[in-house]
Amino acid sequence: MAPLVETVIRQAVKTFTKSPNAPSSTVFRENFENLVSHVNHLTYNDVRLDRSLLVSNTMNHRRAPVTYVEILENKEVTIGIFILRPGAKLPLHDHPLMYGILKVIFGKVSIQSYTLVKKPTVPEKLVEPNGDVSGTSSGSDASSSSLSSLETSDYLYSEIPLLANKHPSMIVSDTDSCCVLTPTERNLHEIRTVDGPAAFIDILSPPYYSVIPDVGPRQCLYFIEVGSEKSLVKLKPVPNQSEYWNDTAPYQGPPINN
């Protein structure tokens, strides 16, 4: 029997890979639900998480608050592990027209999610019947785009500041099910550790820096709250916050044959 992490990878590739005949929305939903079901059973043992990465190194004060472990990245999907040391956070950031699945495999995190009220305007030709976004390509193609990140963000977020619903924050542990975001729902979030270190599996599609046709590469933008309007909050793009940075570590789980 294949390791569970390999089953997850195969299902993720099957779910998000574009085919010559675009899948029906029913097929996509079934594949997506199967993917979530598999991911719900993942534990830190399945990916052989190096638990030494969860603790701060007192001999190295420059150790990053977050470590990223890449499991798989291709032009359709990114799968990796984020390891957050005590007190660390991923600042409020977006996922432009992307799907995301997050499964905590160690510890607990607090997740604050937002849903944009005024959705990005997407040309009709970019959206597949299943709600996915078509025409993505690899990051190497993205680098040749003449659009700057500002122009890209202006296209995706034509009204600055943005208006968004702020969902109640959630405490999520390794015994809980996945958290899911879609191209238009809960698409921005901030993630903080709770009572110690934490780690989670992250699956995103399409990947950051893949190209949105006629727009440019998907950039990861950071935000802060700058006020409110009735029951909504206002979000403003900002540079990456200086306290957040990450290093990387090699994947040590079962070999992947996707």
Side-chain angles (χ1 to χ4, degrees):
M1 180 179 296
L4 179 56
V5 65
E6 183 172 332
T7 300
V8 166
I9 289 171
R10 288 181 180 276
Q11 185 63 42
V13 171
K14 178 180 178 181
T15 300
F16 295 116
T17 295
K18 313 300 184 298
S19 63
N21 298 311
S24 69
S25 58
T26 300
V27 171
F28 177 80
R29 284 198 302 268
E30 290 177 351
N31 280 327
F32 191 82
E33 289 169 3
N34 286 337
L35 174 59
V36 170
S37 177
H38 290 312
V39 176
N40 276 336
H41 293 93
L42 280 173
T43 70
Y44 68 84
N45 286 322
D46 291 306
V47 295
R48 299 175 188 167
L49 179 67
D50 181 356
R51 295 177 63 171
S52 70
L53 295 173
L54 292 159
V55 298
S56 298
N57 185 347
T58 56
M59 300 300 291
N60 182 2
H61 298 294
R62 291 297 296 166
R63 187 169 190 176
V66 176
T67 294
Y68 181 70
V69 177
E70 180 183 303
I71 299 177
L72 173 76
E73 178 153 2
N74 62 26
K75 66 180 182 179
E76 305 292 354
V77 64
T78 297
I79 304 176
I81 306 168
F82 281 92
I83 300 167
L84 284 67
R85 298 186 181 85
K89 72 172 183 178
L90 273 63
L92 176 58
H93 61 282
D94 66 346
H95 303 82
L97 304 175
M98 297 159 71
Y99 287 92
I101 300 173
L102 183 158
K103 176 64 174 78
V104 176
I105 57 173
F106 187 93
K108 294 187 291 186
V109 297
S110 173
I111 302 177
Q112 178 62 70
S113 298
Y114 299 78
T115 294
L116 296 182
V117 172
K118 297 189 176 180
K119 305 295 193 299
T121 300
V122 186
E124 186 173 331
K125 67 179 181 178
L126 301 186
V127 182
E128 299 286 3
N130 60 17
D132 202 356
V133 179
S134 66
T136 59
S137 61
S138 67
S140 61
D141 293 333
S143 64
S144 64
S145 172
S146 62
L147 289 174
S148 68
S149 60
L150 178 60
E151 288 169 327
T152 303
S153 64
D154 282 346
Y155 177 88
L156 290 174
Y157 306 121
S158 58
E159 298 192 21
I160 303 294
L162 310 177
L163 291 177
N165 281 316
K166 183 177 183 180
H167 300 282
S169 62
M170 302 170 56
I171 303 296
V172 184
S173 75
D174 56 356
T175 61
D176 292 314
S177 299
C178 299
C179 297
V180 174
L181 62 87
T182 75
T184 57
E185 298 294 327
R186 298 179 179 267
N187 199 258
L188 299 89
H189 60 203
E190 178 182 271
I191 304 171
R192 295 174 176 267
T193 58
V194 177
D195 299 331
F200 61 86
I201 300 283
D202 197 48
I203 301 176
L204 295 174
S205 181
Y208 283 117
Y209 297 103
S210 60
V211 172
I212 302 174
D214 303 323
V215 178
R218 288 173 171 81
Q219 303 287 341
C220 181
L221 301 180
Y222 295 90
F223 296 83
I224 58 171
E225 289 190 28
V226 292
S228 61
E229 183 174 309
K230 296 183 179 179
S231 61
L232 305 175
V233 297
K234 295 181 179 180
L235 303 177
K236 177 182 178 182
V238 295
N240 183 18
Q241 299 176 33
S242 59
E243 70 270 21
Y244 171 73
W245 56 291
N246 71 273
D247 57 16
T248 61
Y251 172 64
Q252 297 185 356
I256 303 304
N257 299 305
N258 63 297

